[in-house]
Amino acid sequence: MKNTMTYRGYVGSIEFSESDGVLFGKVLGIRSLLSYEGNTAKELVEDFHGVVDDYFNVCEAEGVEPEVAYKGSFNVRTTPDIHRRAAIYAIEHGESLNSFVMEAMEEKLAAQGV
């Protein structure tokens, strides 16, 4: 079972509140808070789609561009030792640290079948 869903390029979380007996979630990867809920999986998906559609409509009405999720740029925090070792490895192999990190991420994701 997945705990995310996608619509129009946005990824939404899927969570369950035992105390309230409802499914809920939020759009991931953007600063704007877009949340949704439902009593059934079908209602959750419908509300997720509605929230994303509403977000696009509001952005259009206000003349602003909708936020793009996962633009391809992020900061990575690590230990100084790992940073040093990775930088040295990249230099020794004639690549940038960015390329090294991208390759490492791709290898890990491929190994997991993602």
Side-chain angles (χ1 to χ4, degrees):
M1 179 164 92
K2 294 186 341 178
N3 60 355
T4 60
M5 55 187 161
T6 59
Y7 178 65
R8 295 182 74 171
Y10 290 90
V11 177
S13 64
I14 301 171
E15 300 187 48
F16 175 68
S17 170
E18 184 176 4
S19 61
D20 298 327
V22 336
L23 297 161
F24 67 96
K26 67 180 181 177
V27 175
L28 305 171
I30 61 174
R31 288 180 299 230
S32 297
L33 176 58
L34 306 179
S35 60
Y36 44 88
E37 65 179 51
N39 291 315
T40 66
K42 184 176 190 242
E43 287 179 7
L44 184 72
V45 170
E46 288 172 353
D47 203 34
F48 170 54
H49 290 190
V51 163
V52 172
D53 290 339
D54 289 347
Y55 175 64
F56 274 91
N57 292 336
V58 168
C59 287
E60 182 179 2
E62 294 180 358
V64 298
E65 287 293 316
E67 288 181 67
V68 176
Y70 309 111
K71 298 178 215 176
S73 175
F74 66 98
N75 292 322
V76 176
R77 299 200 195 307
T78 185
T79 66
D81 181 58
I82 290 175
H83 187 179
R84 178 187 58 77
R85 289 170 33 215
I88 291 169
Y89 179 92
I91 291 166
E92 289 175 348
H93 289 85
E95 65 183 328
S96 68
L97 183 58
N98 189 67
S99 294
F100 170 74
V101 171
M102 285 178 41
E103 289 173 18
M105 290 170 53
E106 183 58 42
E107 286 175 18
K108 178 74 172 190
L109 292 169
Q112 297 298 313
V114 179

